[in-house]
Amino acid sequence: MFGLPLSARNAKNRPFASGVAMAVALACGTVVAVTGVATPAYAKSKKKDDGKPDYGKAFVEAYQAANELVEGKQGAEMEPARAELPKVIASVTNDDERSAAGQLILNVGIGLQDKELQRQGIIMQLESGKLDPARIPQFSYFAGSLSWEADNFQDAVTYFNKAIEAGYTGDNIELLLLESYVGLGQPTAGLDRIAALVKQRGTGVSEDTIRRALQIVYEGGMKDRIADWCATLVRYYPNAQAWNTASNVILDSYELSSQEGLNLYRLMRRTDALLTARDYVEYISAADARRMANEVLPVANEGIAKGVLEPGDVFVEEALEVAGSRVESDRAEAGALGDEARASDKPVTARAAADNFFAIGDYASAEEMYQLALDKGDTDIGRIKMRMAIAQTEQDKWDEAKANFEAVTDANAPVAKMWLAYVDVETGAVAQPAPAPAEAPAAE
């Protein structure tokens, strides 16, 4: 719905760890045997501070037995080595041995195309602390990806986070991390983690990841989070489709009145996000040709020009007829309505005058009338501040508009958050920080 992505796990149009075996093989190179380097005699007499690997006798014997079944072999020829690997693992007593065992297991896993062996070998090398630091980001990603494919979401969360902390940014890793949290049954923790990464990395977090986060909160009915994620999507990816998606999610998730919704349709028009007949019809209905003819008429004509609305449609014909019959009189009466509002004690008179000024495009007068409505005690403060702020954006009064949008806390708040995102985009206030390590929360 609304162009949101399917779950990566459900879609799986591409295996996220595809090509991992080949990539690991290229990154790791040929496994380094310990034979001839760490003989039992050497292991006994070696000093621990001489910088050389510390291999014990039991490990060397187990390793050599397995390695003899690997050297010079390819593919399925390595199968006999599989049975020796548990003995190698059981003989590990220190990090040097753990690193060498991990390389061997990885090599066998690559040869046999066994992803679980590959995963085990990679993790052992990471845990050894002996891996070349330059390889830690990529190997952590591989460990997370293989764990994800194996539905081992606990390890996936752990190693995707380690990869991110180490500076890994490729392969849509944030999306995989989010899916891993979901797989663990911890969507809230995943959303919090992605929100922190968006704050740090900006567009370094993919649009797909943000759309997936939005899908999670939307399908989960998390109303306290939906508007924030809608705003996040358009703040960092302010394309027409994103604006359309986020706006329709807002409309579908909150019980907005026609007047509250109208303010969102105005934003959709500003961002070229009116893409369907439904978008235009609902905008026209909310504006109401009897009240804002000078706004309805250009919107209807725009929809027709785009080929989205049919000029012969009964609804469209009626809107054009009513709006067309009122545009001139509404313009002619605007000044008198303004004078009446100034003289009246009733805030509703100022509000009506403001709406008419807004419709005819006199935004300075509209701003004045909205302020007048507040001064005269209009109690619909959220609606008035919203429209005054929109009128201010039309005049490029960005600071004033932002302050008014931020002051909206009632039912208009979800729409105000979208307008705040728009203000940030238009004023260049959307920070795009360089990728940086971020401390990750441990999975529960």
Side-chain angles (χ1 to χ4, degrees):
M1 184 177 287
F2 311 125
L4 295 172
L6 293 174
S7 160
R9 291 202 57 73
N10 291 333
K12 259 191 173 178
N13 292 324
R14 73 175 181 92
F16 282 86
S18 62
V20 167
M22 180 177 293
V24 173
L26 292 173
C28 188
T30 305
V31 66
V32 179
V34 299
T35 52
V37 176
T39 64
Y42 170 81
K44 288 180 181 179
S45 62
K46 168 184 149 350
K47 293 181 180 180
K48 291 184 179 181
D49 60 353
D50 63 4
K52 296 180 180 178
D54 181 9
Y55 302 129
K57 177 180 179 181
F59 175 76
V60 171
E61 290 176 351
Y63 183 98
Q64 289 177 340
N67 194 53
E68 287 175 359
L69 301 174
V70 173
E71 287 185 323
K73 305 294 193 301
Q74 294 182 348
E77 294 176 344
M78 294 185 185
E79 185 61 42
R82 186 194 298 272
E84 300 298 320
L85 296 180
K87 301 175 187 177
V88 175
I89 296 171
S91 70
V92 170
T93 61
N94 61 49
D95 287 335
D96 288 324
E97 294 172 352
R98 186 169 290 105
S99 175
Q103 291 182 56
L104 176 63
I105 293 168
L106 174 58
N107 204 39
V108 174
I110 292 170
L112 298 179
Q113 297 184 19
D114 185 320
K115 290 188 176 182
E116 181 54 31
L117 285 179
Q118 294 172 23
R119 190 179 85 89
Q120 187 176 10
I122 291 170
I123 290 175
M124 286 186 73
Q125 289 184 76
L126 286 167
E127 291 178 344
S128 75
K130 301 294 182 178
L131 191 65
D132 181 348
R135 290 179 175 171
I136 289 176
Q138 188 180 48
F139 269 48
S140 297
Y141 165 74
F142 290 151
S145 185
L146 288 165
S147 296
W148 188 87
E149 282 202 335
D151 290 344
N152 187 332
F153 302 118
Q154 183 74 58
D155 279 357
V157 165
T158 296
Y159 288 104
F160 283 139
N161 270 318
K162 286 183 180 294
I164 290 170
E165 291 165 20
Y168 196 85
T169 59
D171 298 291
N172 223 349
I173 188 171
E174 294 88 3
L175 177 58
L176 284 171
L177 175 60
L178 178 57
E179 292 294 354
S180 300
Y181 276 109
V182 172
L184 270 180
Q186 298 178 19
T188 300
L191 292 167
D192 290 345
R193 177 64 171 140
I194 298 304
L197 289 171
V198 170
K199 186 176 181 179
Q200 293 164 349
R201 295 185 170 192
T203 52
V205 176
S206 72
E207 182 176 353
D208 281 347
T209 303
I210 298 174
R211 281 178 172 269
R212 177 61 177 134
L214 177 53
Q215 182 183 29
I216 290 168
V217 297
Y218 170 74
E219 293 181 350
M222 303 178 192
K223 286 193 175 182
D224 59 327
R225 290 174 176 255
I226 290 173
D228 288 332
W229 279 105
C230 285
T232 296
L233 175 61
V234 295
R235 180 174 281 109
Y236 291 97
Y237 294 96
N239 57 72
Q241 186 60 61
W243 278 108
N244 182 272
T245 295
S247 297
N248 276 293
V249 169
I250 293 285
L251 291 164
D252 194 68
S253 300
Y254 301 95
E255 296 178 1
L256 302 178
S257 69
S258 62
Q259 293 305 298
E260 291 159 357
L262 174 58
N263 294 325
L264 185 55
Y265 288 115
R266 287 168 167 165
L267 179 56
M268 292 174 72
R269 190 179 183 209
R270 289 281 296 265
T271 55
D272 296 321
L274 296 171
L275 304 180
T276 69
R278 174 189 170 186
D279 296 335
Y280 277 98
V281 167
E282 293 191 359
Y283 187 167
I284 291 168
S285 297
D288 191 343
R290 297 166 298 180
R291 298 178 62 253
M292 298 183 183
N294 282 280
E295 184 167 0
V296 168
L297 189 62
V299 169
N301 284 329
E302 178 184 289
I304 292 169
K306 285 184 176 180
V308 177
L309 294 179
E310 293 291 338
D313 179 84
V314 174
F315 173 84
V316 176
E317 281 188 338
E318 182 178 347
L320 290 171
E321 181 180 352
V322 173
S325 69
R326 295 186 59 88
V327 290
E328 294 301 329
S329 60
D330 284 357
R331 283 185 176 277
E333 294 170 0
L337 285 174
D339 291 339
E340 181 182 351
R342 294 183 187 92
S344 173
D345 292 331
K346 298 178 180 179
V348 68
T349 306
R351 184 199 300 180
D355 285 344
N356 189 49
F357 276 124
F358 191 102
I360 67 176
D362 185 347
Y363 301 112
S365 295
E367 180 185 1
E368 176 195 353
M369 290 294 108
Y370 285 129
Q371 183 60 57
L372 187 62
L374 290 176
D375 294 341
K376 292 179 181 291
D378 198 313
T379 58
D380 198 350
I381 297 174
R383 173 179 169 182
I384 300 302
K385 283 189 172 291
M386 276 290 304
R387 295 198 173 172
M388 182 161 59
I390 295 171
Q392 288 166 338
T393 66
E394 294 285 358
Q395 303 171 74
D396 294 339
K397 297 169 73 171
W398 301 109
D399 291 340
E400 295 92 331
K402 186 170 185 176
N404 277 316
F405 286 132
E406 288 175 340
V408 176
T409 57
D410 61 4
N412 293 274
V415 179
K417 288 181 178 181
M418 295 289 284
W419 274 98
L420 280 168
Y422 174 76
V423 170
D424 285 347
V425 171
E426 290 298 301
T427 59
V430 182
Q432 301 292 350
E439 184 177 352
E444 297 175 0

